[in-house]
Amino acid sequence: MDIVLEVFDTFLFDRLYAAALPGSVAEYGAQRIGHATPTFSSMRELPTSVHPAKQLWKLEPSEYAFMSTWPRDNIWRQTLSLYLITWLFGLVVYFICATLSYYLIFDHATFTHPKYLKNQVALEIKQASIALPIMAVFTVPFFVGEVRGYAKLYDAPADAPFWLYNILQFPFFICFTDFFIYWIHRGLHHPRVYKTLHKPHHKWIMPTPFASHAFHPVDGFAQSVPYHVFPYIFPLNKVAYIILFAFINVWTVFIRKFCPSLFPRPASSASSVSSLVHYIGLEGLFDVVADDGEYVANSRIINGAACHTMHHLYFNYNYGQFTTIWDRFGGSYRKPNEELFRRESKMSKQEWERQCKEMETVQKEVEGDDDRDYDDEARRLQKKVL
């Protein structure tokens, strides 16, 4: 996180802190001599020496970096800065990713599903907007610890435990977090905590991309803990850290109702992909569907959007974040219905009635009475479409 903080300090926060908390001429001179550093993540024993977040490149600090009573390595400044980044920049990333997915990929025919809620997108955005600033409070201590050098983040590839680790850290991070998020997510479905913590996210039976961060704050933070714990236990390259967190944010949005059918492929193309998958022996990983359905592939290993749709429809299945491995070990895996991969059957009244009947049975067992407000307009559109 120190790279991100250095960028924000250089282009934004130095000027803000210099204006809000201006220092005296003497303080300016002392800082100028010492050259306040953005973080001590790599050199905690020299907190006032010049030490950029990356060895290979550095952002030259402007004069504003030395003009505040809160220098860059001040813990209170770091805490406030990281909170604003986590909250406001996180909100910007959420809206960008969700909006792009909503307009370019998401299947808007979902609006006519009988379990689509009244004003659902607005409610999802409201829930996410409430959750993000509170989740940021819980998250910032991890980030502060990182920039102050308590995590095992390393800079150059040569600093890795061994060279191959620079590559292995990516699948290792995915496997580590996938395992723990599975058990955290499954624990959130326990009756003692589900209604309080996790039901706000399961309010969305047919989620849109804006549901990606529409959690109870404690729920959202709990499922993010493995991401933050990893660099305190295992070495992680600073650039890999940023890449992985960017990937996580994109994955979190696109796992909800990923809809490649808006970019139709010819059947021959899908057939060619299926042949290739079979030829190279990966049919155990992917079952590519040739029809112009909502999902391109029904993966047996990757916990993609089809699996997550099953989770929101039927509650007690497919808890994994990235893979189905732990669901298979834990007996909670449910293969997505074949109807989801054929647009004609997926959008049929018969399929929706079957989905609703099973969903209502499970929902009654898990939640009791259904207090959701379903959209009468959706029912009207459904009748018009069907």
Side-chain angles (χ1 to χ4, degrees), residues 53-92:
K54 283 288 295 175
Q55 294 176 11
L56 299 179
W57 59 271
K58 60 181 273 187
L59 295 172
E60 192 65 33
S62 69
E63 62 179 3
Y64 295 103
F66 314 102
M67 295 174 62
S68 173
T69 56
W70 277 11
R72 286 188 178 186
D73 59 6
N74 180 284
I75 189 172
W76 300 113
R77 169 172 167 164
Q78 290 173 335
T79 301
L80 177 59
S81 298
L82 289 167
Y83 175 76
L84 293 174
I85 292 170
T86 306
W87 171 26
L88 298 178
F89 186 63
L91 194 64
V92 170

Side-chain angles (χ1 to χ4, degrees), residues 10 14 23-24 44 52 79 116 122 129 137 144 164 253 257 279 285 294 296 318 332 369 379:
T10 302
D14 285 340
S24 65
R44 288 173 54 208
T79 301
Y116 184 80
S129 300
V137 172
V144 172
L164 190 58
V253 172
K257 301 305 288 181
Y279 176 76
L285 287 177
E294 182 178 2
V296 171
N318 302 345
S332 54
D369 293 335
R379 294 191 180 94

Side-chain angles (χ1 to χ4, degrees), residues 39-346:
T39 73
F40 337 140
S41 66
S42 301
M43 192 176 283
R44 288 173 54 208
E45 68 274 14
L46 295 174
T48 57
S49 65
V50 175
H51 199 80
K54 283 288 295 175
Q55 294 176 11
L56 299 179
W57 59 271
K58 60 181 273 187
L59 295 172
E60 192 65 33
S62 69
E63 62 179 3
Y64 295 103
F66 314 102
M67 295 174 62
S68 173
T69 56
W70 277 11
R72 286 188 178 186
D73 59 6
N74 180 284
I75 189 172
W76 300 113
R77 169 172 167 164
Q78 290 173 335
T79 301
L80 177 59
S81 298
L82 289 167
Y83 175 76
L84 293 174
I85 292 170
T86 306
W87 171 26
L88 298 178
F89 186 63
L91 194 64
V92 170
V93 171
Y94 160 71
F95 274 111
I96 290 175
C97 291
T99 301
L100 289 174
S101 177
Y102 181 81
Y103 284 107
L104 300 179
I105 299 173
F106 176 69
D107 189 351
H108 289 74
T110 301
F111 298 153
T112 63
H113 195 284
K115 293 302 180 182
Y116 184 80
L117 303 185
K118 183 178 181 180
N119 302 320
Q120 181 170 313
V121 170
L123 292 172
E124 289 171 339
I125 292 174
K126 179 181 178 181
Q127 180 66 44
S129 300
I130 293 172
L132 284 171
I134 302 173
M135 289 166 60
V137 172
F138 301 142
T139 304
V140 162
F142 287 97
F143 291 155
V144 172
E146 290 169 9
V147 302
R148 298 189 74 81
Y150 294 103
K152 295 186 177 182
L153 294 167
Y154 67 91
D155 189 1
D159 298 330
F162 52 93
W163 188 89
L164 190 58
Y165 188 83
N166 290 297
I167 299 173
L168 294 178
Q169 63 184 327
F170 291 97
F172 184 30
F173 178 90
I174 296 298
C175 291
F176 175 90
T177 54
D178 190 50
F179 172 78
F180 285 101
I181 291 174
Y182 169 81
W183 290 108
I184 292 170
H185 189 182
R186 185 163 184 167
L188 286 164
H189 278 257
H190 191 280
R192 291 187 178 181
V193 297
Y194 172 81
K195 289 185 179 180
T196 301
L197 296 182
H198 199 49
K199 184 181 176 180
H201 184 63
H202 270 274
K203 182 176 183 178
W204 332 112
I205 303 299
M206 301 300 296
T208 79
F210 291 102
S212 61
H213 292 68
F215 288 93
H216 185 288
V218 175
D219 176 10
F221 171 71
Q223 295 193 60
S224 73
V225 166
Y227 302 135
H228 304 303
V229 168
F230 184 92
Y232 283 89
I233 302 175
F234 304 105
L236 185 64
N237 180 268
K238 292 180 180 180
V239 175
Y241 174 97
I242 295 174
I243 292 172
L244 285 165
F245 270 82
F247 164 74
I248 289 164
N249 276 280
V250 173
W251 179 270
T252 302
V253 172
F254 279 77
I255 198 176
R256 285 157 178 86
K257 301 305 288 181
F258 186 68
C259 179
S261 63
L262 297 186
F263 306 95
R265 303 167 301 136
S268 59
S269 170
S271 177
S272 298
V273 176
S274 297
S275 299
L276 176 62
V277 168
H278 177 75
Y279 176 76
I280 61 179
L282 294 180
E283 61 268 29
L285 287 177
F286 297 101
D287 291 329
V288 179
V289 180
D291 297 295
D292 188 20
E294 182 178 2
Y295 305 101
V296 171
N298 181 11
S299 171
R300 300 178 184 178
I301 300 298
I302 305 302
N303 184 54
C307 286
H308 199 72
T309 294
M310 300 299 289
H311 177 71
H312 273 264
L313 274 173
Y314 307 122
F315 296 87
N316 296 326
Y317 305 95
N318 302 345
Y319 299 111
Q321 177 72 350
F322 302 111
T323 76
T324 64
I325 293 172
W326 305 113
D327 280 297
R328 292 176 184 278
F329 276 110
S332 54
Y333 174 69
R334 175 164 174 170
K335 183 179 179 180
N337 297 340
E338 291 298 327
E339 290 79 8
L340 294 176
F341 298 91
R342 294 187 295 271
R343 187 170 183 80
E344 295 78 11
S345 59
K346 180 183 74 74

